[in-house]
Amino acid sequence: MSTSTIERLNPFVQEFISDPYTHYRRYREQDPVHWGVSSNPQLQGAWYVFRYEDVMKIMEDKRFGREFIKREDAETTPVPTAYNTFLTMVSKWIVFREPPDHTRLKSLVSKAFTTRVVENLRPCVYQIADSLLDNVHARGEMDLVEEYAFRLPIMVIAMMLGADPNDHPLFRKWALALQNASASRLKPPPAIYENAEKASQEFINYFKPIITDRRANPQDDLISNLVKAADEGDKLTDEEIVATCTHLLTAGHETTVNLIAKGILALLRNPNALQLLRSHPEYMPNAIEEMIRYDTPIQMITRWAYADIEIGGQQIKRGDSVGLGGGCINNEPLRYKNPEVFDIQREDTKSCGFGGGIHYCLGSSLARAEGQIALNVLLNRLPELHLLEDNIKWANNIIFHGPKQLKVGYRKP
């Protein structure tokens, strides 16, 4: 274990979640491969890695993976085995699979996120963004997270799947229940898992009839394509189709939520950048990349060690949990010039904001497009946009890191 005298890191407390970058700097400088507190109370601890070189090495190394590894001394499944419906659902998510299952599932789903498909979706995304602002425009204020950033990506995913986008309140409720129980945090109360178990069954009840219908009446949507793949022998089960739909509506949209919310927050806290972007909307694609780097939507990426490996002078044992500081390395001075500066004209914006290796986010191109469109529509339609609260309330989640709410005001039409 680590021999450093620095206190053991607990990244699941509100103090860390509210200001992760201050902590990142300390541990990167003093103990970059650190033995800290695990979210799993059965584990004695977990490794946290904070240097760019080490993190990138682990993400590309096949000796580290996402599929849980069985241990005799602790339960290491994504959720407790007592909640069987939820556990079965989560265990079939692409993000928790390794080859060959990961390869098989990702090759099928990735066809829905090609550059051509995403470009063809842009008019629909603009329409959804405009419709959401129509609902709040006359008020002069809104909760940008609840009323805009959450709704836009979940409605887009629902449309792609072939589900009814108007059912987004249900998806939101169920997705939050699953997210609250599957994200890393210390000792969730039983009610968290009970809600997730119920939501998992609700998702099954919702999608099973749609799968049956698409088998008889195929349409031009993702569910129809997944059903076709299953029926043509790609060994895709109906349970995997339901799990994939649920994954896309849960973890699959959360990155975009935080990209939109934290992107606007960065602009409002850096008025010169906001003014520059308003004057030069052609900078928007580069601005999105800088937002992903500057305040990464996914702050922590987790892996299991599949072998005994030395990283940064520390011996990581097979079965150890490893947290990779994605937000930390995207602000590393050895990697970026003046990383603490939010610069929408930055030339080197390449980051690991969407992960790396085989688990690189398959929806990254869609998330970028949604971020560009969401911010374009906001800046075009809401003059004098400003924060109504300086004290940001952060969601209790260091993996999908973002504001719980973001109250903004603007000039009424």
Side-chain angles (χ1 to χ4, degrees):
M1 302 307 163
S2 173
T3 58
S4 173
T5 57
I6 193 171
E7 65 268 21
R8 291 189 73 190
L9 174 67
N10 183 350
F12 309 105
V13 296
Q14 199 62 42
E15 178 188 2
F16 183 94
I17 293 170
S18 297
D19 181 21
Y21 296 100
T22 298
H23 298 277
Y24 288 153
R25 284 191 292 271
R26 286 188 62 212
Y27 287 88
R28 184 174 59 221
E29 294 169 2
Q30 298 182 39
D31 196 20
V33 182
H34 173 79
W35 181 250
V37 176
S38 171
S39 64
N40 184 341
Q42 296 190 46
L43 296 179
Q44 293 182 358
W47 292 103
Y48 296 97
V49 184
F50 296 107
R51 284 190 304 216
Y52 183 89
E53 182 179 354
D54 294 332
V55 169
M56 297 306 292
K57 177 181 177 181
I58 291 172
M59 284 198 292
E60 298 288 345
D61 194 326
K62 294 181 180 179
R63 295 173 296 175
F64 293 91
R66 290 284 285 154
E67 199 164 287
F68 73 92
I69 188 167
K70 291 183 179 180
R71 290 174 47 150
E72 295 181 357
D73 62 330
E75 186 177 90
T76 57
T77 54
V79 296
T81 54
Y83 303 94
N84 185 62
T85 304
F86 180 38
L87 174 60
T88 301
M89 173 83 74
V90 171
S91 297
K92 294 182 184 298
W93 285 0
I94 299 173
V95 71
F96 290 122
R97 310 294 286 275
E98 292 294 320
D101 289 323
H102 178 273
T103 307
R104 171 176 55 88
L105 290 169
K106 193 168 186 177
S107 67
L108 294 170
V109 179
S110 62
K111 296 173 184 177
F113 296 93
T114 63
T115 301
R116 180 183 61 83
V117 171
V118 171
E119 288 303 307
N120 289 338
L121 279 172
R122 281 180 176 269
C124 296
V125 179
Y126 268 109
Q127 184 177 7
I128 291 173
D130 273 321
S131 69
L132 291 173
L133 290 191
D134 287 343
N135 294 332
V136 299
H137 199 187
R139 292 209 318 252
E141 65 177 59
M142 68 168 165
D143 178 354
L144 187 135
V145 173
E146 177 64 33
E147 298 180 275
Y148 190 68
F150 260 119
R151 299 186 186 191
L152 186 147
I154 209 165
M155 292 175 72
V156 172
I157 289 292
M159 177 186 66
M160 294 175 67
L161 289 171
D164 187 347
N166 292 321
D167 287 334
H168 69 85
L170 290 176
F171 301 146
R172 167 95 163 98
K173 175 184 175 182
W174 300 337
L176 278 179
L178 267 61
Q179 180 189 319
N180 285 338
S182 60
S184 295
R185 58 172 52 87
L186 293 175
K187 300 180 182 178
I192 293 288
Y193 289 120
E194 291 165 5
N195 290 338
E197 181 82 355
K198 182 179 179 181
S200 298
Q201 190 60 55
E202 296 282 7
F203 268 124
I204 293 170
N205 295 343
Y206 184 93
F207 282 114
K208 277 292 184 80
I210 296 178
I211 292 171
T212 300
D213 176 74
R214 295 302 191 274
R215 189 162 272 127
N217 306 291
Q219 300 181 26
D220 185 20
D221 56 44
L222 180 53
I223 292 179
S224 296
N225 291 336
L226 293 175
V227 168
K228 181 181 179 182
D231 293 346
E232 289 182 352
D234 277 321
K235 298 180 180 179
L236 189 67
T237 66
D238 284 3
E239 288 73 20
E240 286 178 322
I241 296 175
V242 172
T244 299
C245 295
T246 303
H247 184 209
L248 293 174
L249 283 168
T250 308
H253 86 286
E254 189 66 23
T255 303
T256 309
V257 174
N258 294 327
L259 170 57
I260 295 170
K262 295 208 288 185
I264 284 293
L265 183 59
L267 288 172
L268 295 180
R269 285 177 166 175
N270 294 272
N272 290 338
L274 175 58
Q275 182 178 356
L276 180 62
L277 190 55
R278 285 190 183 276
S279 302
H280 295 276
E282 69 272 16
Y283 291 167
M284 183 61 77
N286 201 72
I288 291 294
E289 297 305 316
E290 174 67 347
M291 292 168 189
I292 295 168
R293 182 207 67 81
Y294 176 75
D295 195 3
T296 310
I298 300 177
Q299 286 285 318
M300 193 75 72
I301 304 165
T302 58
R303 295 287 188 272
W304 291 101
Y306 292 158
D308 294 349
I309 306 166
E310 180 180 322
I311 298 290
Q314 299 291 354
Q315 291 294 328
I316 296 177
K317 299 294 185 181
R318 182 181 186 276
D320 281 351
S321 173
V322 183
L324 308 179
C328 180
I329 69 169
N330 286 336
N331 282 265
E332 184 170 327
L334 292 178
R335 172 64 181 83
Y336 299 97
K337 183 179 179 180
N338 299 323
E340 74 285 351
V341 175
F342 179 65
D343 181 6
I344 66 171
Q345 293 180 286
R346 184 185 296 273
E347 294 182 1
D348 181 13
T349 58
K350 184 178 180 181
S351 71
C352 73
F354 289 105
I358 66 170
H359 291 286
Y360 185 81
C361 177
L362 63 85
S364 60
S365 58
L366 176 61
R368 287 182 167 98
E370 289 175 328
Q372 294 170 18
I373 293 167
L375 267 65
N376 264 325
V377 174
L378 277 170
L379 298 184
N380 286 336
R381 292 193 56 182
L382 303 184
E384 300 176 19
L385 189 66
H386 59 278
L387 288 172
L388 293 178
E389 298 177 342
D390 292 327
N391 185 22
I392 305 301
K393 299 177 177 65
W394 296 92
N396 184 25
N397 195 328
I398 191 54
I399 294 179
F400 296 107
H401 182 260
K404 186 175 184 179
Q405 63 181 37
L406 193 64
K407 298 291 185 66
V408 297
Y410 42 87
R411 193 176 71 232
K412 296 181 181 180

